[in-house]
Amino acid sequence: MPAQASAPSQAPSTASPEAQETGAAPAGENQVDVGAEKTGAPASPHQKSWLVRHFSLLLRRDRQAQKAGQLFSGLLALNVVFLGGAFICSMIFNNVAITLGDVWILLAALKVLSLLWLLYYAACTTRHPHAVLYHDPHAGPIWVRGSLVLFGSCTICLNIFRVGYDVSHIHCKSQLELIFPVIEMIFIGVQTWVLWKHCKDCVQVQTNFTRCGLMLTLATDLLLWVLDVTNDSMHHKIKAELNALMENFSGNDTNTCLCLNATVCEVFQKGYLMLYPFSTEYYLICCAVLFVMWKNVGRRLAPHPGAHHGTPPFHLHGVIFGPLLGLMALVAGVCVFVLFQIQASGPAIARQYFTLYYAFYIVVLPTMSLACLAGTVIHGLEERELDTLKNPTRSLDVVLLMGAALGQMGIAYFSIVAIVATHPHELLNRLILAYSLLLILQHIVQNLFIIEGLHRRPLWESAPEALAEKREAEPPRRDSLLELGQDLRRASLAYIYSYSHLNWKRRALKEISLFLILCNITLWMMPAFGIHPEFENGLEKDFYGYRTWFTIVNFGLPLGVFYRMHSVGGLVELYLEA
């Protein structure tokens, strides 16, 4: 009988780590009931009491309410996106009935509503008693928040250039057009501040209203991204103005609205075109952060083993070859980038500079692919366990890696079709074809390497847990506090001695991770800050048409830049966890 009585009391300690995510002790008791039903073991009288059954019913109702709130807020976002998408598609296909001004009015209304909710959330919801009892340690890493501030600042500068360009044409434009970029600057500033400060929150009050506000803001950012991808009106205005200036110089008058000060307008035009990709990047990052916050609403976190072990600081640990090869790729990429940019500032880009640009990629991409394959093989040889804990941030990281890779891969497939259907035997076209195929391969193997590494348990979590399991297996002893402290000190020294020296697998993973970090930074910098060869070489633009290829490039390139930046964050985590 004593053995039977002690068995139920020890059952809650065997609850799975996923059960600990709920943070409620009765949830563990509920799992004991389920386990008892499956094994046929008799339940204790305490578990059959009215109080436990009533509390279990309340927990089920709470979970049902959370599912209903998520469903309603998701439907709200879906309807807003469909409405805005219908406006944008109508503007593209029937510019007479629905104009760009109508789309701006709709988006301005959505931005104002989202802005009001962001202010209410920061001023009222988060200051409510017991509003934010938990913070998700995996949400909002420093590189994500830093990217928010960087790209948000660039987007605000973009709107400043847009306002300056409109002011320089105020004699032939409506003054109402100045309102829209001003509203967008205020919206971006407030949103960046709120997401920087509250991206880790797990809100416990006003959950349904918070979910709806997050989904409304996410839908607004998504529509702004879609508009940036599909709207080429500003580019057409700049091109038409340049053509009109050439016509005026030749003695032909045109009806195009010209700038009053050509030098100032050229600065605004160059600034707008250079910062345009950062706007699309900013809205993509905001969508990702808002989605994580939406998943964390109402989430209760309980401390689990390894939760209090902080991420180790960034040290090189004696790695040499990875940083050296990565720096060589970075320096070569900067040289190619500068040469291409200098040539692009002229009236036309010579073909040898396109050849140099694509040849650099053809050298770097296979090297990165081989490094990723080697890292994946080493992951298979490691003894670290898989991390099966429920983690919305990691799940989103995997989805974003897979989704963002589709941008550059889509452009590559469109390029392959255009090359094979036209002139596949020319030197430049063969280089573009090889570049496209290697780019697809590199995205696939890098995703495999990063995703496999993210699902491995960090060493600073697995080792202390092994020590804890060993201590639990030993019989309890009544030691003094002094003896207990000496045991902890000996265990800490043994752990430090065991993991202070890198074995060959850990060293190889760190070398590969650092090399890939520097290469991805290089491949992020070149399309983010420069002229895009995909649009300038003229092959795909002639094959698909200007409007179609503009939409494809504007859809794929921001995703490609976002993929490189997101890969750097994942590779830094792999480096620290190796």
Side-chain angles (χ1 to χ4, degrees), residues 195-430:
L195 295 185
W196 172 276
K197 190 175 180 181
H198 299 286
C199 60
K200 295 178 178 288
D201 290 358
C202 299
V203 180
Q204 307 298 324
V205 299
Q206 301 178 358
T207 54
N208 288 333
F209 185 66
T210 303
R211 288 191 185 98
C212 292
L214 287 168
M215 282 289 104
L216 176 65
T217 311
L218 189 150
T220 304
D221 285 317
L222 188 60
L223 288 174
L224 288 169
W225 175 75
V226 172
L227 182 63
D228 282 347
V229 167
T230 57
N231 178 33
D232 59 347
S233 62
M234 191 69 176
H235 299 75
H236 274 302
K237 290 178 184 177
I238 294 173
K239 186 176 180 180
E241 186 168 353
L242 291 176
N243 292 335
L245 286 174
M246 296 300 294
E247 291 289 334
N248 287 344
F249 284 136
S250 61
N252 300 324
D253 293 332
T254 61
N255 296 324
T256 305
C257 180
L258 297 178
C259 182
L260 297 177
N261 191 328
T263 304
V264 174
C265 277
E266 185 178 2
V267 173
F268 292 144
Q269 292 169 2
K270 294 285 187 181
Y272 182 89
L273 294 176
M274 185 179 70
L275 295 175
Y276 192 78
F278 293 100
S279 174
T280 53
E281 292 300 315
Y282 173 76
Y283 294 126
L284 280 177
I285 297 174
C286 287
C287 289
V289 175
L290 289 166
F291 181 78
V292 172
M293 291 179 65
W294 178 74
K295 293 287 288 185
N296 282 333
V297 172
R299 186 181 176 206
R300 297 179 178 88
L301 299 177
H304 53 79
H308 300 290
H309 300 278
T311 302
F314 190 94
H315 293 301
L316 288 178
H317 289 291
V319 294
I320 299 173
F321 299 104
L324 183 62
L325 292 175
L327 286 174
M328 290 173 60
L330 180 62
V331 172
V334 169
C335 294
V336 173
F337 172 76
V338 170
L339 288 174
F340 194 84
Q341 288 299 111
I342 292 174
Q343 184 69 17
S345 61
I349 303 175
R351 292 180 68 87
Q352 60 263 29
Y353 288 94
F354 284 108
T355 303
L356 177 64
Y357 189 93
Y358 287 111
F360 169 76
Y361 273 88
I362 290 174
V363 173
V364 172
L365 290 176
T367 311
M368 295 175 65
S369 300
L370 291 175
C372 292
L373 288 174
T376 305
V377 172
I378 294 173
H379 276 316
L381 298 175
E382 278 192 304
E383 298 178 355
R384 284 189 293 164
E385 298 179 355
L386 292 177
D387 188 0
T388 57
L389 286 177
K390 183 181 178 182
N391 189 340
T393 306
R394 184 179 59 202
S395 301
L396 181 64
D397 284 339
V398 173
V399 172
L400 289 177
L401 276 174
M402 300 296 292
L406 298 178
Q408 284 279 15
M409 291 174 66
I411 294 178
Y413 279 117
F414 278 106
S415 297
I416 290 171
V417 172
I419 292 169
V420 172
T422 52
H423 307 288
H425 301 294
E426 295 183 4
L427 175 62
L428 180 59
N429 292 348
R430 281 185 290 175

Side-chain angles (χ1 to χ4, degrees), residues 489-503:
R489 184 172 179 272
R490 283 195 296 269
S492 300
L493 290 175
Y495 170 71
I496 293 171
Y497 179 78
S498 300
Y499 293 95
S500 60
H501 301 285
L502 298 177
N503 57 29

Side-chain angles (χ1 to χ4, degrees), residues 8-36:
S9 63
Q10 295 176 355
S13 63
T14 62
S16 64
E18 288 84 350
Q20 296 176 2
E21 288 284 335
T22 59
E29 296 172 0
N30 191 28
Q31 290 193 357
V32 174
D33 293 338
V34 176

